[in-house]
């Protein structure tokens, strides 16, 4: 059985049920460095559009079964 790449999960930042997706390989590398974690394959990224004019996404990270896995909401940093 494969894990779906997208699913609707609650977002701690957006305060509602929104679409999340698994991280890409490049995003996993950035998340590992940003969070100082050994693995990042289990992180989900909120893709809720918070600014319709610019298309800016929420980008808050979460675990599939833990709504707020970090003391404060953590957003994945954009590529350098």
């Amino acid at each position: 059985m494969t894990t779906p790449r997208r699913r609707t999960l609650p977002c701690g930042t957006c305060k509602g049920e929104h679409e999340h997706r698994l991280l890409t390989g490049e995003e996993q590398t950035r998340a590992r460095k940003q969070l100082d974690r050994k693995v990042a394959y289990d992180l989900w990224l909120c893709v809720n559009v918070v600014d319709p004019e610019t298309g800016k996404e929420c980008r808050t990270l979460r675990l599939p079964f833990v709504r707020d896995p970090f003391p404060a909401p953590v957003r994945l940093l954009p590529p350098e």
Side-chain angles (χ1 to χ4, degrees):
M1 184 169 142
T2 60
T3 304
R5 303 271 316 150
R6 290 182 177 264
R7 75 169 49 154
T8 301
L9 296 167
C11 177
T13 303
C14 298
K15 305 297 184 211
E17 298 274 332
H18 297 287
E19 186 173 1
H20 287 68
R21 67 172 174 80
L22 287 172
L23 301 178
T24 64
E26 179 186 328
E27 290 170 336
Q28 286 182 22
T29 302
R30 286 196 323 239
R32 282 194 302 269
K33 289 178 184 175
Q34 179 181 340
L35 302 171
D36 195 30
R37 290 179 56 141
K38 291 183 180 183
V39 297
Y41 65 85
D42 56 346
L43 293 172
W44 289 79
L45 182 74
C46 179
V47 293
N48 181 39
V49 177
V50 293
D51 186 2
E53 291 181 12
T54 63
K56 183 179 176 186
E57 295 178 347
C58 172
R59 301 182 59 80
T60 299
L61 295 170
R62 65 161 290 152
L63 294 168
F65 303 109
V66 181
R67 172 181 250 159
D68 298 317
F70 309 107
V74 175
R75 290 195 166 105
L76 182 64
L77 298 175
E80 296 174 345

